[in-house]
Amino acid sequence: MIERWCPRTSPGSGLELGWGMPNLDVVALITAKPGGEAIVEEALKALVAASRGDHGCISYDLFASDSTPGTFVTIEKWQSQEDLDAHMASSHIADVITAAGDHFDGFPAIHTLRLLES
């Protein structure tokens, strides 16, 4: 990854400017089977609450699609790929799969994003 001039935050210190690695942006699309929407939604809400406490989590938000009912979207920002990897291996990811996996309509589509313009 290429370093670039970017705002960086460090715990307790607020915003800094300088050379650093850009944060990692992630979007996940999760689709519930018909009738399983409420179960998936509740499991994802619990996942969001737990994930916000993960090391390196800058933001983690959950949305429901108004265009496609039963589709949920997480928009996440992580400090590094290592932090995202640790999150994906966490017990709360396993918990959401246990609680709602049978109600997913296929696998979640997880997209790490690369900024094209700044």
Side-chain angles (χ1 to χ4, degrees):
M1 183 175 278
I2 299 172
E3 288 193 56
R4 64 179 169 89
W5 185 259
C6 62
R8 296 176 300 178
T9 58
S10 51
S13 69
L15 181 66
E16 302 173 5
L17 293 177
W19 289 99
M21 300 300 280
N23 297 317
L24 182 64
D25 295 303
V26 179
V27 173
L29 303 171
I30 304 101
T31 305
K33 291 178 183 173
E37 298 90 349
I39 293 168
V40 171
E41 180 176 338
E42 288 308 309
L44 291 174
K45 285 179 179 178
L47 174 64
V48 169
S51 298
R52 286 179 175 162
D54 283 349
H55 181 270
C57 180
I58 296 167
S59 64
Y60 201 110
D61 296 305
L62 174 65
F63 300 87
S65 173
D66 284 337
S67 302
T68 309
T71 299
F72 300 91
V73 179
T74 63
I75 299 178
E76 312 163 28
K77 187 175 290 288
W78 296 92
Q79 289 181 355
S80 70
Q81 181 66 53
E82 292 78 19
D83 294 328
L84 175 60
D85 292 344
H87 163 70
M88 294 304 295
S90 70
S91 61
H92 40 274
I93 291 290
D95 291 345
V96 77
I97 293 168
T98 298
D102 290 342
H103 301 280
F104 289 172
D105 190 7
F107 292 103
I110 300 170
H111 302 270
T112 55
L113 305 176
R114 176 176 36 92
L115 183 65
L116 296 178
E117 293 185 37
S118 60

